[in-house]
């Protein structure tokens, strides 16, 4: 993992949730953080899949889970999972009191159905 380009440990995350979802009052299942620029986007189980869209737009290959207690990385370019990697700038996750799915107040009651769609 240390030989993989696309990690800047000095860059803080872009926010506490998916900024693109926030712009349209959307919701997410889980969050991913770009290891290169700090962009926080929603995962592929989320309706909008903004983390993958960020990779496609920028070519930034690595994301780290932005969920409390998780430190794994995913490489979009190679479809590789890394159990751990370099520590990124704080904070390491969204606030622990922020629910998943989230954010509070915007998750539809039938959110589990959306995951199966």
């Amino acid at each position: 993992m240390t030989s993989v380009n696309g990690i800047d440990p000095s860059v803080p995350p872009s926010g506490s949730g998916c900024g693109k979802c926030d712009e349209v009052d959307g919701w997410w299942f889980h969050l991913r953080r770009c290891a290169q620029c700090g962009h926080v986007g929603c995962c592929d189980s989320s309706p909008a899949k903004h983390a993958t869209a960020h990779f496609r737009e920028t070519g930034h290959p690595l994301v780290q889970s932005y969920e409390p207690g998780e430190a794994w990385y995913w490489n979009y370019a190679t479809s590789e999972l890394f159990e751990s990697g370099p520590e990124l700038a704080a904070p390491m996750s969204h606030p622990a009191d922020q629910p998943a799915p989230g954010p509070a107040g915007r998750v539809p009651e039938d959110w589990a159905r959306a995951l199966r769609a």
Side-chain angles (χ1 to χ4, degrees):
M1 171 104 192
T2 56
S3 65
V4 176
N5 291 328
I7 298 176
D8 184 342
S10 70
V11 177
S14 61
S16 62
C18 178
K20 298 282 186 180
C21 285
D22 284 341
E23 289 174 6
V24 296
D25 291 329
W27 64 278
W28 53 80
F29 184 54
H30 287 136
L31 298 170
R32 308 293 178 239
R33 172 188 179 173
C34 177
Q36 189 165 343
C37 73
H39 175 269
V40 175
C42 55
C43 72
D44 283 354
S45 295
S46 302
K49 301 172 176 63
H50 286 123
T52 295
H54 177 74
F55 162 66
R56 289 184 181 136
E57 292 167 7
T58 65
H60 297 169
L62 292 162
V63 292
Q64 186 178 46
S65 174
Y66 200 53
E67 295 299 315
E70 296 181 1
W72 56 263
Y73 283 80
W74 177 255
N75 186 327
Y76 284 110
T78 63
S79 296
E80 288 180 275
L81 175 70
F82 299 93
E83 294 297 325
S84 63
E87 187 169 321
L88 301 178
M92 300 307 298
S93 71
H94 65 75
D97 62 354
Q98 178 178 298
R106 292 202 318 240
V107 180
E109 287 186 30
D110 64 345
W111 66 267
R113 185 180 60 77
L115 294 181
R116 292 188 297 273

